[in-house]
């Protein structure tokens, strides 16, 4: 397989014109890159791909003088330029390097080439997710993948950035990533984009051996000796060129879901509802007007099987608190993966994570882990029943799929009547309703379990009043913090509202997408775990434990909670302003707290609230925002994402307004309306 390094180089650069031929330690930047490419094991030939513009003549001349093959092509269509170079060089495997990375490490390039061939994938890189210093970028792909991308990619950012089409179509192109063995390198910036970068690179070039291409360890050794060098270019951001070209894109509303529609038919033959999770199933999205399967996510965005990109306001139903493929959490998972997954005895990761939870959660002296939130809520119920020797429960909100909860709802098929009879639902914010239940069944209630907040703020004194009431009747107060935990604050809503429950349940965001949950409480109740039975094969599975430790550390160290509140508030305020401006405030609202603002819909003389919801979601999705019933913001949602969501609001509200004005929506939508299967919270 002929493997050809193709180095992308042109003289045009807005921030640093002519940078590829700038002098670095006595030779041009491009010479550094060519030298590294030639030194990399596995590379058969080296080509430079530059533009046909006369401004790039110096690059072509330099190549000629120095015996480097050169191909010239379109200035803006870099993808096409790569195809030209690949064909000219007879490449079967293409190693994409860019001329703004003078400190490329030949060994890292060689490892990426080897990774692609060992794994047999279409595409391998060391940038997706980034774990190496910015400036060691290396991508290896097959000629078939490159040619397919060139034939199909239509977005300007895909043409300009060569590999983004391949990376964003994971269902078609298999991929793998070379992960750095050393953590904490993503903050290093060794790429050349600004005069400040040139200052750093020049300083490094002076200190590195002129005899061979540098290894990244040599560069790190220089920076370890003189850490102040990093100040020379500290202000620049990673991959700013790509961010700029993506955010400049206009919102489009022409998404297609053909593959999703085909794949759901296949899925439904073997998977009831075609989904493992009710709220991710097709029942929850506008029929025929929504993606049904995703291929991958990146930060705050997801990509569907038809190749559409979305800002993701579902966030995997809230586990995705930091963003998809968070580099710190993923690194923790990969490092643990090297050691093994599930073991024959506990690991100390269990203790490490438990210690963190007891530090952050007011009610937690001891904790036990589970996989789903339902594990934690069911364990809390069993503890409460064991502690009080009573059976009945009062429940507010949603608590999972087990008999003791779902039996009390309208979706109770398959639950024994005797079990359902023990569970009583009560409205949020109404102490009298709970008092009445206690009086109807004196000394029979083990616990009151509630989400401390979902659609509305607790009325003043409500949570403390509830705690007093519950204790007066000899029962326990359980906070279901599956959503509020690691979102309202690390310690959940109890840390914010200053009311400490007897037991609390956590899940969702705890592992940034890995399956892990926890029940927490004081030692005197938690020690009953020694007598009851709460035990599962996978309770101590280590990838999730490692992920949770890394997630909690990052939430703490990166001020994630403040970010969620601020971003959520910005989005909620701006969206509400648009709803008011569109004169739709009577029909559409946003309630709840900023980190989890919940959409509400009301009936209109011309349309049911279900029809209104269907039209609104359909148009938000068409405009590139995957949304269900709420704004589930994550740490990776940046200002460009917020702007895209608001642009989608503008579009969806305009369509809704027009649709309402035309009237008779329900009849026109027919069976295209999302029908609620059951409602568990007042606003939903
Ligand atoms: C408040 C609350 N409690 C419990 C659960 C159940 O968690 P899981 O679906 O992980 O079992 C959920 C899930 O949505 C939830 O929102």
């Amino acid at each position: 397989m002929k493997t050809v390094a193709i180095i992308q180089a042109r003289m045009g650069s807005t921030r640093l014109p002519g940078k590829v031929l700038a002098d670095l330690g006595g030779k041009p930047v491009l010479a550094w890159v060519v030298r590294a490419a030639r030194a990399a094991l596995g590379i058969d030939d080296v080509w430079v791909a530059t533009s046909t513009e006369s401004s790039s003549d110096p690059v072509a001349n330099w190549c000629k003088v120095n015996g480097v093959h050169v191909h010239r092509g379109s200035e803006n269509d870099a993808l096409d330029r790569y195809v030209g170079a690949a064909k000219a060089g007879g490449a079967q495997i293409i190693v994409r390097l860019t001329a703004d990375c003078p400190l490329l490490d030949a060994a890292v390039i060689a490892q990426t080439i080897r990774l692609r061939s060992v794994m047999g994938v279409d595409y391998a890189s060391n940038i997706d997710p980034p774990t190496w210093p910015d400036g060691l970028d290396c991508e290896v792909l097959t000629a078939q993948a490159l040619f397919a991308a060139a034939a199909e990619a239509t977005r300007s950012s895909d043409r300009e950035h060569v590999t983004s089409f391949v990376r964003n179509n994971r269902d078609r192109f298999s991929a793998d990533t070379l992960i750095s063995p050393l953590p904490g390198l993503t903050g290093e910036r060794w790429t050349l984009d600004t005069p400040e970068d040139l200052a750093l690179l020049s300083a490094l070039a002076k200190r590195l051996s002129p005899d061979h291409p540098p290894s990244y360890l040599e560069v790190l050794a220089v920076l370890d000796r003189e850490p102040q060098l990093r100040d020379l270019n500290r202000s620049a951001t990673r991959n700013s060129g790509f961010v700029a070209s993506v955010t400049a894109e206009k919102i489009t509303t022409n998404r297609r879901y053909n593959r999703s529609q085909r794949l759901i038919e296949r899925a439904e033959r073997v998977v009831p509802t075609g989904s493992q999770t009710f709220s991710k199933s097709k029942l929850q999205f506008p029929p025929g007007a929504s993606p049904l399967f995703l291929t991958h996510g990146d930060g705050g965005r997801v990509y569907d099987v038809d190749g559409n990109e979305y800002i993701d306001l579902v966030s995997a139903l809230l586990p995705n608190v930091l963003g998809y493929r968070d580099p710190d959490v993923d690194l923790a998972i990969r490092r643990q993966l090297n050691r093994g997954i599930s073991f024959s005895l506990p690991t100390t990761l269990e203790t490490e994570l438990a210690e963190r939870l007891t530090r952050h959660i007011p009610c937690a002296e001891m904790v036990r882990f589970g996989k789903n939130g339902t594990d934690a809520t069911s364990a809390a119920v069993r503890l409460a029943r064991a502690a009080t020797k009573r059976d009945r429960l009062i429940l507010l909100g949603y608590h999972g799929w087990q008999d003791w909860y779902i039996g009390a709802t309208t979706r109770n098929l398959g639950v024994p009547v005797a079990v359902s009879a023990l569970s009583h639902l009560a409205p949020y914010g109404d102490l009298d309703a709970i008092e009445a239940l206690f009086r109807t069944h004196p000394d029979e209630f083990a616990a009151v379990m509630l989400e401390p907040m979902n659609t509305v703020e607790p009325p003043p004194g409500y949570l403390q009043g509830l705690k007093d009431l519950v204790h007066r009747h000899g029962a326990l107060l359980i906070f279901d913090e599956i959503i509020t935990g690691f979102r309202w604050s690390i310690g959940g809503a109890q840390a914010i509202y200053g009311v400490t429950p007897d037991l609390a349940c956590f899940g969702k965001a705890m592992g940034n997408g890995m399956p892990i949950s926890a029940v927490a409480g004081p030692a005197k109740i938690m020690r009953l775990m020694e007598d009851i039975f709460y035990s599962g094969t996978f309770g101590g599975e280590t990838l999730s434990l490692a992920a949770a430790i890394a997630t909690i550390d990052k939430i703490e160290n990166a001020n994630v909670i403040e970010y969620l509140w601020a971003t959520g508030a910005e989005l909620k305020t701006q969206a509400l302003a648009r709803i008011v401006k569109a004169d739709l405030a009577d029909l559409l609202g946003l309630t709840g707290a900023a980190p989890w603002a919940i959409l509400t819909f009301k009936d209109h003389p011309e349309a049911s609230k279900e029809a209104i919801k269907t039209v609104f979601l359909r148009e938000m999705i068409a405009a590139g925002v995957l949304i269900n019933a709420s704004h589930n913001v994550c740490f990776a949602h940046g200002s460009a994402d917020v702007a895209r969501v608001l642009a989608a609001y503008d579009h969806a509200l305009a369509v809704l307004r027009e649709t309402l004005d035309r009237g008779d929506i329900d009849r026109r939508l027919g069976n295209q309306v999302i029908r609620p299967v059951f409602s568990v919270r007042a606003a939903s």
Side-chain angles (χ1 to χ4, degrees), residues 372-375 377 398-401 451 480 482-483 508 681:
N372 282 291
T374 309
D375 294 350
T377 53
Y398 176 71
H399 306 299
W401 72 272
E451 293 175 74
D480 176 342
I482 303 287
I483 288 177
K508 298 270 191 199
R681 297 184 182 100

Side-chain angles (χ1 to χ4, degrees), residues 148-427:
E152 294 173 45
T154 50
R155 289 169 18 136
S156 59
S157 59
D158 287 337
R159 308 254 16 139
E160 192 183 335
H161 296 282
V162 183
T163 55
S164 65
F165 185 85
V166 172
R167 284 191 277 135
N168 290 338
N169 284 283
R170 283 284 164 90
D171 64 317
R172 297 201 27 215
F173 302 105
S174 53
D176 212 326
T177 301
L178 186 76
I179 298 293
S180 161
L182 301 179
L185 296 184
T186 49
E188 304 285 354
R189 183 182 160 88
W190 306 342
T191 187
L192 177 58
D193 203 27
T194 65
E196 293 78 19
D197 295 331
L198 187 58
L200 171 72
L201 292 166
S202 302
L204 289 170
K206 268 195 213 124
R207 290 159 175 81
L208 292 165
S209 162
D211 306 332
H212 58 264
S215 94
Y216 77 100
L217 292 172
E218 286 172 296
V219 182
L220 285 175
V222 171
L223 290 168
D224 283 349
R225 275 197 305 277
E226 298 180 66
Q228 74 285 358
L229 289 177
R230 292 193 180 93
D231 294 340
L232 289 169
N233 72 341
R234 203 174 281 285
S235 58
T237 62
R238 192 166 181 127
N239 267 335
S240 49
F242 183 67
V243 172
S245 74
V246 168
T247 50
E249 273 167 18
K250 294 240 163 17
I251 124 165
T252 56
T253 54
N254 58 353
R255 283 165 180 76
R256 296 277 178 276
Y257 316 108
N258 302 343
R259 272 178 70 82
S260 271
Q261 291 302 331
R262 281 205 307 277
L263 288 168
I264 189 69
E265 283 174 26
R266 185 174 143 204
E268 282 182 325
R269 284 199 282 274
V270 284
V271 177
T273 76
S275 165
Q276 308 306 314
T277 309
F278 180 74
S279 301
K280 299 179 189 176
S281 75
K282 68 173 193 181
L283 301 171
Q284 297 291 293
F285 292 92
S290 165
L292 299 174
F293 299 94
L294 299 177
T295 55
H296 67 289
D298 195 5
R301 295 176 183 216
V302 287
Y303 301 82
D304 73 12
V305 287
D306 286 282
N308 300 307
E309 179 192 67
Y310 305 87
I311 310 295
D312 184 12
L313 281 190
V314 181
S315 289
L317 297 174
L318 294 158
N320 192 43
V321 67
L322 297 176
Y324 295 99
R325 300 193 304 172
D326 177 82
D328 298 310
V329 176
D330 285 7
L331 189 61
I333 295 169
R334 284 172 205 272
R335 293 170 83 188
Q336 182 55 40
L337 190 56
N338 288 340
R339 299 184 168 95
I341 304 173
S342 286
F343 294 100
S344 315
L345 296 174
T347 63
T348 53
L349 289 173
E350 296 175 27
T351 318
E352 274 181 50
L353 178 57
E355 284 168 352
R356 276 172 177 72
L357 296 193
T358 56
R359 200 166 72 232
H360 288 293
I361 301 168
C363 78
E365 287 173 7
M366 301 185 85
V367 298
R368 279 285 301 271
F369 302 118
K371 296 275 95 190
N372 282 291
T374 309
D375 294 350
T377 53
S378 301
V381 161
R382 186 160 298 165
L383 278 173
R385 284 174 164 163
T388 58
K389 302 197 170 42
R390 297 166 171 189
D391 291 342
R392 286 188 192 273
L393 304 167
I394 299 175
L395 306 166
L396 299 78
Y398 176 71
H399 306 299
W401 72 272
Q402 282 291 359
D403 287 2
W404 59 265
Y405 170 70
I406 215 70
T409 72
T410 52
R411 211 171 166 83
N412 57 5
L413 187 64
V415 179
V417 174
V419 175
S420 299
L422 296 175
S423 296
H424 304 256
L425 299 183

Side-chain angles (χ1 to χ4, degrees), residues 377-643:
T377 53
S378 301
V381 161
R382 186 160 298 165
L383 278 173
R385 284 174 164 163
T388 58
K389 302 197 170 42
R390 297 166 171 189
D391 291 342
R392 286 188 192 273
L393 304 167
I394 299 175
L395 306 166
L396 299 78
Y398 176 71
H399 306 299
W401 72 272
Q402 282 291 359
D403 287 2
W404 59 265
Y405 170 70
I406 215 70
T409 72
T410 52
R411 211 171 166 83
N412 57 5
L413 187 64
V415 179
V417 174
V419 175
S420 299
L422 296 175
S423 296
H424 304 256
L425 299 183
Y428 186 85
D430 185 349
L431 291 181
D432 291 343
I434 291 178
E435 176 82 62
L437 282 169
F438 275 124
R439 283 187 198 290
T440 313
H441 303 280
D443 302 329
E444 290 186 38
F445 282 102
V448 172
M449 178 184 285
L450 78 162
E451 293 175 74
M453 180 192 168
N454 55 54
T455 58
V456 289
E457 285 280 341
Y462 172 67
L463 291 176
Q464 185 58 49
L466 180 63
K467 181 174 172 178
D468 296 341
L469 173 65
V470 169
H471 284 178
R472 248 193 337 270
H473 288 278
L476 299 185
L477 181 67
I478 306 172
F479 277 3
D480 176 342
E481 302 244 34
I482 303 287
I483 288 177
T484 48
F486 314 104
R487 187 161 278 272
W488 263 239
S489 78
I490 304 186
Q494 59 189 276
I496 291 192
Y497 299 126
V499 175
T500 305
D502 298 304
L503 288 168
C505 309
F506 294 81
K508 298 270 191 199
M510 194 170 154
N512 199 45
M514 290 298 280
I516 184 156
S517 60
V519 55
K524 71 175 189 308
I525 301 178
M526 291 299 292
R527 286 212 189 278
L528 280 171
M529 284 282 183
E530 289 160 16
D531 303 317
I532 67 163
F533 196 73
Y534 175 59
S535 169
T537 306
F538 294 115
E541 172 268 307
T542 60
L543 299 188
S544 301
L545 295 169
I549 290 169
T551 303
I552 292 169
D553 287 353
K554 183 149 183 178
I555 292 178
E556 190 175 7
N557 298 331
N559 290 332
V560 170
I561 299 292
E562 288 82 343
Y563 188 86
L564 297 182
W565 280 90
T567 307
E570 168 77 4
L571 196 53
K572 187 177 171 192
T573 310
Q574 299 275 0
L576 278 172
R578 281 166 165 77
I579 292 169
V580 170
K581 197 162 150 228
D583 199 18
L584 288 165
D586 288 348
L587 304 179
L588 183 58
L590 276 165
T591 179
W596 183 45
I598 299 168
L599 285 161
T600 59
F601 298 91
K602 292 208 185 78
D603 289 330
H604 176 267
E606 291 292 334
S608 66
K609 63 181 177 190
E610 290 82 15
I612 293 171
K613 179 176 177 179
T614 304
V615 172
F616 177 74
L617 294 189
R618 186 188 70 195
E619 295 307 320
M620 288 295 282
I621 293 168
V625 176
L626 190 62
I627 181 168
N628 187 341
S630 48
H631 292 175
N632 302 351
V633 288
C634 77
F635 188 55
H637 284 136
S639 50
D641 299 319
V642 171

Side-chain angles (χ1 to χ4, degrees), residues 253 582 584 612 614-616 618-620 622-623 648-663 665 668:
T253 54
L584 288 165
I612 293 171
T614 304
V615 172
F616 177 74
R618 186 188 70 195
E619 295 307 320
M620 288 295 282
Y649 259 93
D650 285 337
H651 164 79
L653 293 172
V655 174
L656 183 59
R657 179 76 274 158
E658 190 195 311
T659 315
L660 285 169
D661 291 346
R662 269 192 281 138
I665 307 186
R668 281 189 290 116

